[in-house]
C-alpha cells in the first residue's frame, strides 16, 4: 500500500514537472512568435530591368535574387525574424510597386541588394548606404520633440544595421569595405522605414565579378546578412 502511494506521488511530481516544462516551452514559443520583426528583402532590379551586366547570361538581377533566396533559406525557423521578399522570381517590379509593398507591409526594416559598377576596373569591394530622414515626413507625431525623437530612431536604426552588416561583411572580405555612407534613396523617400542598401561588390572588377558569380560566395553573403539581422533584433 505504501509502495503504491509512493509510486503515485512520484508520478504526480513527474507529471507536474512535465506540465511545467511544457507550459514554459509553449509560452516561450508564443512570445517569440508574437514578436516577429518583419524585414523586407529587396533584390534590386528584375524582369525587364536587368541592372548591370556581369556576363552575357548573368546580370545584376540574377545575383540579387540568388542572394535574397539564399537569405530566406538561411533563416531557419524558431527566431524572432520574418523575411518578406520583394520578388522571389525573375519579374519586373517597378519603383511605384515596390513603394506600395513597403507602405502596405510597414516592415521593421528594409534591406536592398545591388551590385556596384564603374569607377574604373580597380574599384572593388562592398559599400553600404543608408537614407537621410527629414522630420517633415513624421506626420503622426504632434510635438517637435516627438518628431525629432522618431526621426532620430529611424536614422540611428539604419546606421546601426549598416554598421553591423559592415562588420560581418568585413570578416568575409577583409579590407574590402568601402564604408558606410548616407545617400538619397528614391525607394524609401518619405517613408517611415529604417533601411540600408548593400552594394555587394563591383561587376566591373575581375576579382569581384568572380566572387559574385560563385554560389559559395552568394551563400556566404546571405549568411552574413542573416547574421546581421539576428544581431540587430536581438
Ligand atoms: Zn542596382
Amino acid at each position: 500500500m505504501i509502495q503504491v502511494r509512493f509510486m503515485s506521488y512520484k508520478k504526480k511530481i513527474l507529471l507536474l514537472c512535465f506540465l511545467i516544462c511544457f507550459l514554459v516551452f509553449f509560452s516561450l514559443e508564443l512570445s517569440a512568435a508574437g514578436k516577429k520583426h518583419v524585414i523586407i528583402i529587396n533584390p534590386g532590379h528584375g524582369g525587364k530591368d536587368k541592372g548591370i551586366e556581369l556576363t552575357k547570361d548573368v546580370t545584376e538581377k540574377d545575383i540579387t535574387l540568388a542572394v535574397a533566396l539564399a537569405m530566406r533559406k538561411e533563416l531557419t525557423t524558431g527566431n524572432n525574424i520574418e523575411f518578406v521578399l520583394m520578388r522571389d522570381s525573375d519579374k519586373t517590379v517597378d519603383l511605384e510597386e515596390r513603394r506600395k509593398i513597403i507602405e502596405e507591409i510597414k516592415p521593421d526594416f528594409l534591406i536592398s541588394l545591388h551590385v556596384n559598377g564603374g569607377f574604373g576596373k580597380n574599384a572593388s569591394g562592398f559599400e553600404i548606404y543608408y537614407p537621410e530622414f527629414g522630420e517633415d515626413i513624421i506626420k503622426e507625431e504632434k510635438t517637435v520633440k516627438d518628431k525629432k525623437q522618431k526621426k532620430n530612431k529611424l536614422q540611428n536604426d539604419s546606421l546601426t544595421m549598416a554598421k553591423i552588416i559592415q562588420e560581418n561583411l568585413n570578416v568575409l572580405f577583409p579590407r574590402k569595405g568601402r564604408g558606410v555612407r548616407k545617400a538619397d534613396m528614391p525607394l524609401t523617400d518619405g517613408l517611415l522605414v529604417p533601411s540600408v542598401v548593400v552594394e555587394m561588390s563591383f561587376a566591373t572588377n575581375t576579382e569581384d565579378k568572380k566572387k559574385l558569380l560563385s554560389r559559395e560566395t552568394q551563400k556566404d553573403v546571405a549568411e552574413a546578412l542573416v547574421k546581421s539581422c539576428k544581431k540587430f533584433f536581438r
Side-chain angles (χ1 to χ4, degrees), residues 1-160:
M1 193 61 186
I2 290 165
Q3 184 73 359
V4 170
R5 274 177 67 184
F6 174 71
M7 286 295 284
S8 83
Y9 177 69
K10 213 171 152 189
K11 269 186 184 167
K12 269 183 197 165
I13 294 286
L14 270 171
L15 189 68
L16 196 66
C17 284
F18 174 75
L19 262 172
I20 289 170
C21 286
F22 177 76
L23 282 172
V24 167
F25 176 76
F26 192 65
S27 64
L28 278 177
E29 279 285 290
L30 263 186
S31 69
K35 269 193 258 155
K36 284 257 180 202
H37 301 286
V38 176
I39 303 177
I40 292 187
I41 308 297
N42 175 34
H45 312 276
K48 284 185 283 180
D49 171 15
K50 294 184 175 179
I52 194 163
E53 189 178 282
L54 283 90
T55 68
K56 206 158 59 50
D57 306 312
V58 183
T59 52
E60 182 178 356
K61 65 171 184 174
D62 305 309
I63 308 292
T64 59
L65 180 62
V67 173
L69 291 174
M71 282 178 78
R72 185 162 75 181
K73 209 168 162 192
E74 184 63 30
L75 186 76
T76 42
T77 49
N79 58 65
N80 60 351
I81 296 170
E82 188 191 331
F83 285 159
V84 176
L85 266 54
M86 195 72 95
R87 64 178 180 96
D88 59 4
S89 62
D90 180 21
K91 62 175 180 189
T92 311
V93 189
D94 66 29
L95 186 69
E96 274 319 302
E97 273 175 84
R98 285 183 209 240
R99 283 178 61 88
K100 220 179 273 168
I101 291 169
I102 298 167
E103 281 175 293
E104 263 163 36
I105 294 177
K106 293 186 177 53
D108 298 294
F109 213 97
L110 167 80
I111 297 177
S112 291
L113 305 171
H114 284 270
V115 170
N116 230 334
F119 306 105
K121 281 198 157 100
N122 289 331
S124 72
F126 64 89
E127 228 166 29
I128 303 155
Y129 292 100
Y130 68 102
E132 165 98 73
F133 294 93
E135 276 160 45
D136 53 313
I137 61 162
I138 296 149
K139 305 253 175 355
E140 78 266 31
E141 305 290 353
K142 294 278 173 284
T143 69
V144 176
K145 192 180 156 216
D146 288 345
K147 278 178 192 282
K148 204 170 215 149
Q149 238 170 29
K150 180 107 193 190
K151 173 212 141 112
N152 286 344
K153 174 141 181 38
L154 287 164
Q155 200 76 71
N156 291 342
D157 282 353
S158 301
L159 181 60
T160 302

Side-chain angles (χ1 to χ4, degrees), residues 126 128 164-174 198 200 220-221 224-225 228:
F126 64 89
I128 303 155
I164 295 172
I165 293 175
Q166 184 187 33
E167 220 174 81
N168 286 325
L169 286 180
N170 264 335
V171 178
L172 209 56
F173 308 116
V198 183
M200 295 181 280
D220 288 345
V221 172
L225 293 173
S228 305

